[in-house]
Amino acid sequence: MIEIPSDLNPDLVPLAFLLGNWEGAGVAEFPGTEKCNFGQEVTFTHDGRDFLEYVSHSWVLDGEGKKVAPLESETGYWRIDKDRKVEVVMVRDQGVVEIWYGELADQKPQIDLVTDAIARTAAAGPYSGGKRLYGYVNSDLMWVGEKSTPDVPLRPYMSAHLKKVVDPSEWAKDLKDLPDDGIAFFK
């Protein structure tokens, strides 16, 4: 279920499905790198202004699903206009800054993005552009990313299936009327 916080900037209501903490796993594969399974934590928050703050951390998983090494971190800001056009400014730990533009699909929580501008530090690897698709499917957040380099045409490189993480303290706020011992609730 999608909840819309009362203090959410009204311009961001179409993006409310992204809000929260998400965790899950996916697969990464691109020519020149070893294919791997990865874990991911993503957070979308807001502070009342006209953007969502985005933070993502991913790490390589071993065959048993344990963290082996960091994979990639991103942080950024997401906005949407009255015509459902989405813009994202993103910074990656690999020394890349990107501006993405896209659109929220009509009548469904799905966002298609494509890079418009890229800046790379001297330490960054080759990268010339990307596409991403985010979708809210059966209460889960799913995404697939494509990227290109000067030597590799645009192709899928990462995808993940994330589930919403619920903080138990959020539930506790609704339990004000329970008796202290908890047993009387069942009588």
Side-chain angles (χ1 to χ4, degrees):
M1 178 166 86
I2 299 172
E3 293 184 29
I4 300 174
S6 61
D7 60 343
L8 182 66
N9 184 300
D11 295 343
L12 296 174
V13 168
L15 298 180
F17 71 93
L18 294 171
L19 286 170
N21 298 313
W22 303 87
E23 290 182 3
V27 177
E29 179 179 20
F30 196 77
T33 62
E34 189 173 329
K35 180 178 180 178
C36 70
N37 292 326
F38 68 90
Q40 184 177 28
E41 294 174 348
V42 172
T43 302
F44 284 93
T45 59
H46 74 95
D47 64 7
R49 291 183 281 176
D50 69 343
F51 59 84
L52 297 182
E53 185 174 0
Y54 163 81
V55 177
S56 169
H57 297 284
S58 60
W59 54 89
V60 176
L61 298 175
D62 66 13
E64 297 174 3
K66 294 180 183 163
K67 293 180 182 180
V68 175
L71 183 61
E72 183 171 284
S73 295
E74 302 173 329
T75 187
Y77 302 93
W78 293 53
R79 288 182 169 83
I80 187 167
D81 70 15
K82 61 181 176 51
D83 297 320
R84 304 173 70 82
K85 303 294 185 208
V86 177
E87 66 179 40
V88 178
V89 177
M90 191 179 303
V91 177
R92 293 200 220 181
D93 63 352
Q94 300 158 346
V96 175
V97 177
E98 301 159 297
I99 296 176
W100 298 78
Y101 286 104
E103 188 170 5
L104 177 63
D106 191 31
Q107 302 296 316
K108 61 182 173 178
Q110 177 180 308
I111 300 170
D112 285 292
L113 296 170
V114 63
T115 52
D116 180 69
I118 300 163
R120 297 181 307 118
T121 64
Y127 176 62
S128 54
K131 285 179 145 184
R132 291 203 186 171
L133 173 64
Y134 290 83
Y136 184 76
V137 181
N138 297 325
S139 299
D140 294 344
L141 184 62
M142 302 173 89
W143 71 273
V144 61
E146 299 178 51
K147 78 175 182 178
S148 64
T149 69
D151 298 324
V152 180
L154 190 66
R155 59 159 284 160
Y157 81 104
M158 288 179 92
S159 62
H161 184 155
L162 309 173
K163 299 213 173 267
K164 191 113 181 217
V165 178
V166 180
D167 180 355
S169 67
E170 291 298 312
W171 294 338
K173 288 190 264 181
D174 296 330
L175 302 178
K176 296 177 216 140
D177 297 332
L178 283 180
D180 289 339
D181 64 3
I183 296 170
F185 175 75
F186 295 100
K187 291 182 182 176

